[in-house]
Amino acid sequence: LDDVRYGVAEQVSPLIRRVIARNPSKFSYRGTGTYIVGSGRHVVVIDPGPDLVTHRDALAAALSGHEVVAILVTHCHADHSPLSAWLRAETGAPTIAFGPHGLIDPDPEPDEDPDADAPDESEPTLIDGEPVQESKETIDIDFVPDLAVADGEIAASFDGLTMRAIHTPGHTSNHDCFSLDAEHALFSGDHVMGWSTTVVSPPDGDMRAYMESLHKVAGRHDAVIWPTHGNPITDVDPFLDAYLEHRVLREAQITDLVRGGATSISDMVEVLYVDVRRDLHKAARRSVLSHLVKLVDDGVVSIDGDRARLSSQFSPG
């Protein structure tokens, strides 16, 4: 995706076209890739994307002459689901997803670090393989699917093609991937991305669920994964092995730091991300927190309060 052609419906496989929205950022890479599946009159749209006029117009042009039979949404972050409302109104096609967004922190903890992220429109930056972003992605709280699909259920069936929902909680609790049986392909949303590892941010993001979902997807042995952000993944098995290895290694490093006397997330970030600019440590702290929530639940780490927070004090379990 080094040479992105925004607003163009690019044919990326016999059954799949992709239109990339002009919303590049440190956590969306070059932009949101909306997929159009189908080679005939009937098509399915996956992740209509952000509410941008340019992207809406590009989708309208790409869908001209086609009948949209279903609108599949992997999850309801604001770079994935908002345009589904417009597309539903234009086409009458139902929106289909696992469900609306899950837990929203009723008592969010402010990050008062003076070196927290400042606005920056530079090239996407990685922290430990993870995209830099605000502590919480913007949520499309208005999104509620017309049809809720459970794990393994058929999400769309048309022109001899079958697409199924694969429930993959972790990045968000309502995250779904969608399979296209005819091409042994998986549309992975943000569960697996083609340019970085995925951000898992509590409370709705759950590291244990995320790792379990990674194992589920790895066990499928798909031929290709189409992420919403980044390039397609064709070396699927080794790619997912590396994804899992990264998480296991980070968990071990955090465990060792706590056992060695580190008590705060800030202390851990100072060690784990010593070579990373301090203005990127805010995103790093969210990554470490997600691992610590899991470690506390496992009894490996103890905390000084009722739940793991950015300000908690940690000790060996």
Side-chain angles (χ1 to χ4, degrees):
L1 290 179
D2 291 333
D3 185 20
V4 178
R5 297 175 63 201
Y6 290 113
V8 176
E10 176 189 11
Q11 192 81 43
V12 294
S13 85
L15 293 173
I16 304 168
R17 289 182 292 156
R18 179 181 58 194
V19 183
I20 300 177
R22 192 183 292 273
N23 64 326
S25 75
K26 289 183 176 181
F27 63 91
S28 63
Y29 195 46
R30 305 302 185 192
T32 297
T34 297
Y35 291 99
I36 302 170
V37 180
S39 59
R41 175 176 175 79
H42 302 106
V43 296
V44 164
V45 176
I46 304 172
D47 281 350
D51 190 8
L52 295 175
V53 172
T54 54
H55 193 53
R56 182 197 66 196
D57 291 348
L59 289 181
L63 296 170
S64 178
H66 297 279
E67 179 183 343
V68 179
V69 297
I71 302 163
L72 309 186
V73 176
T74 61
H75 65 297
C76 47
H77 278 157
D79 57 329
H80 289 252
S81 58
L83 269 186
S84 62
W86 161 79
L87 188 57
R88 179 182 181 278
E90 288 290 311
T91 66
T95 56
I96 300 171
F98 181 80
H101 197 274
L103 177 65
I104 298 175
D105 195 342
D107 182 27
E109 184 176 24
D111 191 327
E112 298 178 353
D113 190 322
D115 293 317
D117 292 313
D120 187 351
E121 300 302 325
S122 62
E123 288 294 297
T125 303
L126 302 183
I127 293 180
D128 187 31
E130 297 183 1
V132 177
Q133 65 176 73
E134 294 301 317
S135 61
K136 291 174 66 177
E137 288 185 284
T138 303
I139 300 167
D140 180 10
I141 59 175
D142 295 328
F143 177 79
V144 177
D146 296 315
L147 299 174
V149 285
D151 182 45
E153 288 187 344
I154 293 176
S157 181
F158 63 106
D159 296 348
L161 302 177
T162 300
M163 302 188 70
R164 293 183 182 273
I166 313 298
H167 187 43
T168 49
H171 177 64
T172 62
S173 60
N174 72 331
H175 196 288
D176 266 348
C177 298
F178 295 99
S179 68
L180 175 61
D181 295 349
E183 293 191 354
H184 302 287
L186 188 73
F187 299 91
S188 63
D190 283 358
H191 180 60
V192 178
M193 296 200 287
W195 71 289
S196 75
T197 53
T198 298
V199 169
V200 179
S201 182
D204 192 56
D206 184 294
M207 185 59 70
R208 183 187 311 282
Y210 181 74
M211 293 179 73
E212 291 173 352
S213 295
L214 274 182
H215 281 290
K216 176 193 288 188
V217 170
R220 291 176 47 82
H221 303 293
D222 293 291
V224 60
I225 291 178
W226 294 99
T228 300
H229 307 289
N231 293 313
I233 299 157
T234 54
D235 55 341
V236 172
D237 289 349
F239 190 96
L240 293 178
D241 287 345
Y243 243 53
L244 283 162
E245 182 181 357
H246 166 78
R247 297 297 184 182
V248 171
L249 175 61
R250 179 57 75 218
E251 181 174 299
Q253 291 172 328
I254 293 170
T255 300
D256 288 345
L257 283 172
V258 174
R259 289 173 175 168
T263 60
S264 73
I265 288 178
S266 293
D267 289 343
M268 298 175 208
V269 168
E270 290 290 337
V271 175
L272 295 171
Y273 302 92
V274 64
D275 295 326
V276 175
R277 296 197 324 263
R278 290 191 61 83
D279 63 330
L280 305 181
H281 282 192
K282 181 178 180 179
R285 287 191 291 274
R286 301 299 303 184
S287 176
V288 172
L289 174 62
S290 67
H291 282 282
L292 283 165
V293 170
K294 177 179 180 295
L295 288 168
V296 169
D297 289 343
D298 288 341
V300 176
V301 172
S302 297
I303 53 172
D304 62 348
D306 60 340
R307 66 184 177 102
R309 299 171 62 91
L310 289 170
S311 60
S312 295
Q313 294 292 298
F314 300 90
S315 60

